[in-house]
Amino acid sequence: MNLFNLTSIELEALRLSLWVSGWALAGILPFGILIAWVLARKNFPGKSILDGLIHLPLVLPPVVIGYLLLILLGRNGIIGALLFKYLGISVAFTWKGAAIASGVMAFPLLVRSVRLSIEAVDQGIENAARTLGAGPLRVFFTVTLPLIIPGIITGILLAFARSLGEFGATITFVSNIQGETQTLPLALYTLIQMPNGEASAMRLCLLSVFIAMMALLISELLSRWFTATLNG
Amino acid sequence: MLDIKLEKKLGKCFINVAFKSDVTEVIALFGPSGAGKTSVINMVAGLVRPDAGHITVNHRNLFDSNAKINLPPEKRNIGYIFQDGRLFPHLSVRSNLAYGMRNTSTSESSITFHQVVELLGIGQLLDRRPSRLSGGEKQRVAIGRALLTNPDLLLMDEPFASLDQPRKAEILPFVSRLCTEFEIPVLYVTHSLEEISRLADTLIVMDSGKIASTGQTAGPPNG
């Protein structure tokens, strides 16, 4: 059993996984920070409904989310049909759809982590910045944001891990197309069902462990570095 | 210069105060905990919105419930020195001091960075982080940071409550010099009679949200 030479299918799955997770993260990061800030700092009617909606992907079976995405964003979906008609964009059965599915599934983890760290920021310090002449936007970018960077790093790690492991929503929404939507878990699933797929499956397993460990290590180092910087 | 009238219901406590001052002086707000002293200066700073009343500083209307004026804290030009310093932990002392400077143009700036550093004796601390400062050093930096915004009024909320006696003795002289050297009126919250006798020109005694008495003190011995 050769554990180190990846076949082209496996390499393709690895490349696609990183690509899809990267885009998913880039897409949800600014939005996630904004929502986390709103949930941490603002009170408005319907807040618990918004909070519940954001947490749905965490508590629903992923297949349900995938099916909902198909209904909304599929070529004949409510939003998907409009997108295709006016902009010529179709995300179903493409890597973009896989990124959307990953992003939606990872979103609550990002929001939770960032929200907790925003709630931990002393509002007294933000108020002090206001009395020094800084408007709300400057306070956010010069005080709140730098102080929550460790929380954002944790959120990014959790979201990244979640989107790398995304299976149910992805296979339901964009299917299992090699080279287009077949990410690591989907490739692994396919290989397990094939005769003589064991070596390949084991390689993908080890690869997943390696990526997860690397991500953990990097986020840990970054967190430590930022904490050290904070404490001068 | 200072004309303040405030009403605010906070839980069971009803705050209703009014006072005026026509000269540049140190006004001490004195009273037991829960008298509403901090709420009053939070309202002056714009951090808490009064139910009714008005706040006028240097003929500028900062709040007026009748005229529906309510400037946000960043537009009030009032410096606030908090009990717990509230320095920005992620910035060096130098950056903390400079944080509020960009809103004051150099032409109207009567207080320079150099002057403040000199007055407060914090020159050797400029490159440190707040976590590496002692309590007294933190408060001096906080005072400098507020001064450098060129405020029309300085608010101080028991700035020395968390300091021991030697540290207090280290900073108290600076406060009386602020008022005289930079001609900034100071509204000072405290429950220490010693600080009042050393600093205050006018004393306002508060009890359960109301002003119990107002009067001139003998004045600080050195000013």
mmCIF file with all atom_site columns, all heavy atoms in Angstrom, chain A residues 180-194:
data_model
loop_
_atom_site.group_PDB
_atom_site.id
_atom_site.type_symbol
_atom_site.label_atom_id
_atom_site.label_alt_id
_atom_site.label_comp_id
_atom_site.label_asym_id
_atom_site.label_entity_id
_atom_site.label_seq_id
_atom_site.pdbx_PDB_ins_code
_atom_site.Cartn_x
_atom_site.Cartn_y
_atom_site.Cartn_z
_atom_site.occupancy
_atom_site.B_iso_or_equiv
_atom_site.pdbx_formal_charge
_atom_site.auth_seq_id
_atom_site.auth_comp_id
_atom_site.auth_asym_id
_atom_site.auth_atom_id
_atom_site.pdbx_PDB_model_num
ATOM 1   N N   . GLU A 1 180 ? -15.076 19.074 -10.259 1.00 0.00 ? 180 GLU A N   1
ATOM 2   C CA  . GLU A 1 180 ? -15.906 20.272 -10.158 1.00 0.00 ? 180 GLU A CA  1
ATOM 3   C C   . GLU A 1 180 ? -16.453 20.454 -8.739  1.00 0.00 ? 180 GLU A C   1
ATOM 4   O O   . GLU A 1 180 ? -16.331 21.510 -8.144  1.00 0.00 ? 180 GLU A O   1
ATOM 5   C CB  . GLU A 1 180 ? -17.062 20.210 -11.168 1.00 0.00 ? 180 GLU A CB  1
ATOM 6   C CG  . GLU A 1 180 ? -17.943 21.456 -11.212 1.00 0.00 ? 180 GLU A CG  1
ATOM 7   C CD  . GLU A 1 180 ? -17.231 22.682 -11.761 1.00 0.00 ? 180 GLU A CD  1
ATOM 8   O OE1 . GLU A 1 180 ? -16.423 22.536 -12.704 1.00 0.00 ? 180 GLU A OE1 1
ATOM 9   O OE2 . GLU A 1 180 ? -17.465 23.786 -11.239 1.00 0.00 ? 180 GLU A OE2 1
ATOM 10  N N   . THR A 1 181 ? -17.052 19.399 -8.198  1.00 0.00 ? 181 THR A N   1
ATOM 11  C CA  . THR A 1 181 ? -17.612 19.501 -6.841  1.00 0.00 ? 181 THR A CA  1
ATOM 12  C C   . THR A 1 181 ? -17.138 18.376 -5.935  1.00 0.00 ? 181 THR A C   1
ATOM 13  O O   . THR A 1 181 ? -17.579 18.283 -4.804  1.00 0.00 ? 181 THR A O   1
ATOM 14  C CB  . THR A 1 181 ? -19.160 19.489 -6.879  1.00 0.00 ? 181 THR A CB  1
ATOM 15  O OG1 . THR A 1 181 ? -19.599 18.201 -7.299  1.00 0.00 ? 181 THR A OG1 1
ATOM 16  C CG2 . THR A 1 181 ? -19.708 20.539 -7.798  1.00 0.00 ? 181 THR A CG2 1
ATOM 17  N N   . GLN A 1 182 ? -16.236 17.521 -6.441  1.00 0.00 ? 182 GLN A N   1
ATOM 18  C CA  . GLN A 1 182 ? -15.817 16.381 -5.630  1.00 0.00 ? 182 GLN A CA  1
ATOM 19  C C   . GLN A 1 182 ? -14.666 16.776 -4.692  1.00 0.00 ? 182 GLN A C   1
ATOM 20  O O   . GLN A 1 182 ? -13.497 16.668 -5.025  1.00 0.00 ? 182 GLN A O   1
ATOM 21  C CB  . GLN A 1 182 ? -15.399 15.204 -6.505  1.00 0.00 ? 182 GLN A CB  1
ATOM 22  C CG  . GLN A 1 182 ? -15.254 13.931 -5.697  1.00 0.00 ? 182 GLN A CG  1
ATOM 23  C CD  . GLN A 1 182 ? -14.845 12.762 -6.574  1.00 0.00 ? 182 GLN A CD  1
ATOM 24  O OE1 . GLN A 1 182 ? -13.710 12.667 -7.026  1.00 0.00 ? 182 GLN A OE1 1
ATOM 25  N NE2 . GLN A 1 182 ? -15.788 11.867 -6.830  1.00 0.00 ? 182 GLN A NE2 1
ATOM 26  N N   . THR A 1 183 ? -15.043 17.274 -3.505  1.00 0.00 ? 183 THR A N   1
ATOM 27  C CA  . THR A 1 183 ? -14.045 17.660 -2.502  1.00 0.00 ? 183 THR A CA  1
ATOM 28  C C   . THR A 1 183 ? -13.544 16.415 -1.786  1.00 0.00 ? 183 THR A C   1
ATOM 29  O O   . THR A 1 183 ? -14.017 15.299 -2.051  1.00 0.00 ? 183 THR A O   1
ATOM 30  C CB  . THR A 1 183 ? -14.660 18.642 -1.488  1.00 0.00 ? 183 THR A CB  1
ATOM 31  O OG1 . THR A 1 183 ? -15.824 18.047 -0.941  1.00 0.00 ? 183 THR A OG1 1
ATOM 32  C CG2 . THR A 1 183 ? -15.033 19.947 -2.151  1.00 0.00 ? 183 THR A CG2 1
ATOM 33  N N   . LEU A 1 184 ? -12.618 16.579 -0.840  1.00 0.00 ? 184 LEU A N   1
ATOM 34  C CA  . LEU A 1 184 ? -12.007 15.434 -0.145  1.00 0.00 ? 184 LEU A CA  1
ATOM 35  C C   . LEU A 1 184 ? -13.026 14.440 0.419   1.00 0.00 ? 184 LEU A C   1
ATOM 36  O O   . LEU A 1 184 ? -12.938 13.236 0.148   1.00 0.00 ? 184 LEU A O   1
ATOM 37  C CB  . LEU A 1 184 ? -11.079 15.928 0.965   1.00 0.00 ? 184 LEU A CB  1
ATOM 38  C CG  . LEU A 1 184 ? -9.640  16.285 0.576   1.00 0.00 ? 184 LEU A CG  1
ATOM 39  C CD1 . LEU A 1 184 ? -8.870  16.777 1.790   1.00 0.00 ? 184 LEU A CD1 1
ATOM 40  C CD2 . LEU A 1 184 ? -8.935  15.085 -0.043  1.00 0.00 ? 184 LEU A CD2 1
ATOM 41  N N   . PRO A 1 185 ? -13.994 14.904 1.223   1.00 0.00 ? 185 PRO A N   1
ATOM 42  C CA  . PRO A 1 185 ? -14.933 13.924 1.811   1.00 0.00 ? 185 PRO A CA  1
ATOM 43  C C   . PRO A 1 185 ? -15.750 13.206 0.755   1.00 0.00 ? 185 PRO A C   1
ATOM 44  O O   . PRO A 1 185 ? -16.038 12.013 0.899   1.00 0.00 ? 185 PRO A O   1
ATOM 45  C CB  . PRO A 1 185 ? -15.843 14.793 2.689   1.00 0.00 ? 185 PRO A CB  1
ATOM 46  C CG  . PRO A 1 185 ? -15.174 16.103 2.823   1.00 0.00 ? 185 PRO A CG  1
ATOM 47  C CD  . PRO A 1 185 ? -14.258 16.264 1.668   1.00 0.00 ? 185 PRO A CD  1
ATOM 48  N N   . LEU A 1 186 ? -16.100 13.923 -0.322  1.00 0.00 ? 186 LEU A N   1
ATOM 49  C CA  . LEU A 1 186 ? -16.891 13.286 -1.384  1.00 0.00 ? 186 LEU A CA  1
ATOM 50  C C   . LEU A 1 186 ? -16.056 12.251 -2.144  1.00 0.00 ? 186 LEU A C   1
ATOM 51  O O   . LEU A 1 186 ? -16.552 11.174 -2.489  1.00 0.00 ? 186 LEU A O   1
ATOM 52  C CB  . LEU A 1 186 ? -17.458 14.354 -2.349  1.00 0.00 ? 186 LEU A CB  1
ATOM 53  C CG  . LEU A 1 186 ? -18.801 14.954 -1.942  1.00 0.00 ? 186 LEU A CG  1
ATOM 54  C CD1 . LEU A 1 186 ? -18.678 15.759 -0.664  1.00 0.00 ? 186 LEU A CD1 1
ATOM 55  C CD2 . LEU A 1 186 ? -19.378 15.808 -3.052  1.00 0.00 ? 186 LEU A CD2 1
ATOM 56  N N   . ALA A 1 187 ? -14.778 12.611 -2.361  1.00 0.00 ? 187 ALA A N   1
ATOM 57  C CA  . ALA A 1 187 ? -13.882 11.671 -3.033  1.00 0.00 ? 187 ALA A CA  1
ATOM 58  C C   . ALA A 1 187 ? -13.689 10.419 -2.171  1.00 0.00 ? 187 ALA A C   1
ATOM 59  O O   . ALA A 1 187 ? -13.716 9.286  -2.668  1.00 0.00 ? 187 ALA A O   1
ATOM 60  C CB  . ALA A 1 187 ? -12.532 12.340 -3.302  1.00 0.00 ? 187 ALA A CB  1
ATOM 61  N N   . LEU A 1 188 ? -13.538 10.650 -0.873  1.00 0.00 ? 188 LEU A N   1
ATOM 62  C CA  . LEU A 1 188 ? -13.364 9.541  0.064   1.00 0.00 ? 188 LEU A CA  1
ATOM 63  C C   . LEU A 1 188 ? -14.585 8.614  0.026   1.00 0.00 ? 188 LEU A C   1
ATOM 64  O O   . LEU A 1 188 ? -14.467 7.390  -0.046  1.00 0.00 ? 188 LEU A O   1
ATOM 65  C CB  . LEU A 1 188 ? -13.156 10.103 1.472   1.00 0.00 ? 188 LEU A CB  1
ATOM 66  C CG  . LEU A 1 188 ? -12.768 9.142  2.586   1.00 0.00 ? 188 LEU A CG  1
ATOM 67  C CD1 . LEU A 1 188 ? -11.491 8.390  2.221   1.00 0.00 ? 188 LEU A CD1 1
ATOM 68  C CD2 . LEU A 1 188 ? -12.549 9.905  3.884   1.00 0.00 ? 188 LEU A CD2 1
ATOM 69  N N   . TYR A 1 189 ? -15.750 9.215  0.026   1.00 0.00 ? 189 TYR A N   1
ATOM 70  C CA  . TYR A 1 189 ? -17.003 8.468  -0.024  1.00 0.00 ? 189 TYR A CA  1
ATOM 71  C C   . TYR A 1 189 ? -17.060 7.608  -1.286  1.00 0.00 ? 189 TYR A C   1
ATOM 72  O O   . TYR A 1 189 ? -17.421 6.438  -1.250  1.00 0.00 ? 189 TYR A O   1
ATOM 73  C CB  . TYR A 1 189 ? -18.157 9.471  0.024   1.00 0.00 ? 189 TYR A CB  1
ATOM 74  C CG  . TYR A 1 189 ? -19.527 8.892  -0.205  1.00 0.00 ? 189 TYR A CG  1
ATOM 75  C CD1 . TYR A 1 189 ? -20.152 8.112  0.774   1.00 0.00 ? 189 TYR A CD1 1
ATOM 76  C CD2 . TYR A 1 189 ? -20.209 9.143  -1.392  1.00 0.00 ? 189 TYR A CD2 1
ATOM 77  C CE1 . TYR A 1 189 ? -21.414 7.599  0.559   1.00 0.00 ? 189 TYR A CE1 1
ATOM 78  C CE2 . TYR A 1 189 ? -21.472 8.629  -1.607  1.00 0.00 ? 189 TYR A CE2 1
ATOM 79  C CZ  . TYR A 1 189 ? -22.080 7.860  -0.626  1.00 0.00 ? 189 TYR A CZ  1
ATOM 80  O OH  . TYR A 1 189 ? -23.326 7.354  -0.826  1.00 0.00 ? 189 TYR A OH  1
ATOM 81  N N   . THR A 1 190 ? -16.664 8.204  -2.416  1.00 0.00 ? 190 THR A N   1
ATOM 82  C CA  . THR A 1 190 ? -16.673 7.482  -3.680  1.00 0.00 ? 190 THR A CA  1
ATOM 83  C C   . THR A 1 190 ? -15.687 6.316  -3.648  1.00 0.00 ? 190 THR A C   1
ATOM 84  O O   . THR A 1 190 ? -16.002 5.203  -4.077  1.00 0.00 ? 190 THR A O   1
ATOM 85  C CB  . THR A 1 190 ? -16.285 8.436  -4.834  1.00 0.00 ? 190 THR A CB  1
ATOM 86  O OG1 . THR A 1 190 ? -17.126 9.582  -4.758  1.00 0.00 ? 190 THR A OG1 1
ATOM 87  C CG2 . THR A 1 190 ? -16.472 7.760  -6.188  1.00 0.00 ? 190 THR A CG2 1
ATOM 88  N N   . LEU A 1 191 ? -14.473 6.594  -3.106  1.00 0.00 ? 191 LEU A N   1
ATOM 89  C CA  . LEU A 1 191 ? -13.429 5.572  -3.097  1.00 0.00 ? 191 LEU A CA  1
ATOM 90  C C   . LEU A 1 191 ? -13.796 4.379  -2.214  1.00 0.00 ? 191 LEU A C   1
ATOM 91  O O   . LEU A 1 191 ? -13.473 3.236  -2.545  1.00 0.00 ? 191 LEU A O   1
ATOM 92  C CB  . LEU A 1 191 ? -12.108 6.177  -2.619  1.00 0.00 ? 191 LEU A CB  1
ATOM 93  C CG  . LEU A 1 191 ? -11.444 7.095  -3.644  1.00 0.00 ? 191 LEU A CG  1
ATOM 94  C CD1 . LEU A 1 191 ? -10.354 7.935  -3.008  1.00 0.00 ? 191 LEU A CD1 1
ATOM 95  C CD2 . LEU A 1 191 ? -10.890 6.263  -4.801  1.00 0.00 ? 191 LEU A CD2 1
ATOM 96  N N   . ILE A 1 192 ? -14.470 4.675  -1.101  1.00 0.00 ? 192 ILE A N   1
ATOM 97  C CA  . ILE A 1 192 ? -14.845 3.598  -0.190  1.00 0.00 ? 192 ILE A CA  1
ATOM 98  C C   . ILE A 1 192 ? -15.790 2.614  -0.888  1.00 0.00 ? 192 ILE A C   1
ATOM 99  O O   . ILE A 1 192 ? -15.772 1.416  -0.626  1.00 0.00 ? 192 ILE A O   1
ATOM 100 C CB  . ILE A 1 192 ? -15.515 4.162  1.087   1.00 0.00 ? 192 ILE A CB  1
ATOM 101 C CG1 . ILE A 1 192 ? -14.476 4.949  1.893   1.00 0.00 ? 192 ILE A CG1 1
ATOM 102 C CG2 . ILE A 1 192 ? -16.103 3.059  1.958   1.00 0.00 ? 192 ILE A CG2 1
ATOM 103 C CD1 . ILE A 1 192 ? -15.098 5.766  3.007   1.00 0.00 ? 192 ILE A CD1 1
ATOM 104 N N   . GLN A 1 193 ? -16.590 3.119  -1.811  1.00 0.00 ? 193 GLN A N   1
ATOM 105 C CA  . GLN A 1 193 ? -17.569 2.260  -2.487  1.00 0.00 ? 193 GLN A CA  1
ATOM 106 C C   . GLN A 1 193 ? -16.979 1.516  -3.672  1.00 0.00 ? 193 GLN A C   1
ATOM 107 O O   . GLN A 1 193 ? -17.644 0.694  -4.287  1.00 0.00 ? 193 GLN A O   1
ATOM 108 C CB  . GLN A 1 193 ? -18.743 3.121  -2.957  1.00 0.00 ? 193 GLN A CB  1
ATOM 109 C CG  . GLN A 1 193 ? -19.556 3.653  -1.780  1.00 0.00 ? 193 GLN A CG  1
ATOM 110 C CD  . GLN A 1 193 ? -20.688 4.511  -2.233  1.00 0.00 ? 193 GLN A CD  1
ATOM 111 O OE1 . GLN A 1 193 ? -20.539 5.299  -3.159  1.00 0.00 ? 193 GLN A OE1 1
ATOM 112 N NE2 . GLN A 1 193 ? -21.832 4.371  -1.599  1.00 0.00 ? 193 GLN A NE2 1
ATOM 113 N N   . MET A 1 194 ? -15.710 1.880  -4.044  1.00 0.00 ? 194 MET A N   1
ATOM 114 C CA  . MET A 1 194 ? -15.101 1.220  -5.193  1.00 0.00 ? 194 MET A CA  1
ATOM 115 C C   . MET A 1 194 ? -14.274 0.033  -4.737  1.00 0.00 ? 194 MET A C   1
ATOM 116 O O   . MET A 1 194 ? -13.634 0.080  -3.685  1.00 0.00 ? 194 MET A O   1
ATOM 117 C CB  . MET A 1 194 ? -14.188 2.203  -5.935  1.00 0.00 ? 194 MET A CB  1
ATOM 118 C CG  . MET A 1 194 ? -14.951 3.015  -6.955  1.00 0.00 ? 194 MET A CG  1
ATOM 119 S SD  . MET A 1 194 ? -14.035 4.419  -7.579  1.00 0.00 ? 194 MET A SD  1
ATOM 120 C CE  . MET A 1 194 ? -12.385 3.845  -7.656  1.00 0.00 ? 194 MET A CE  1
#
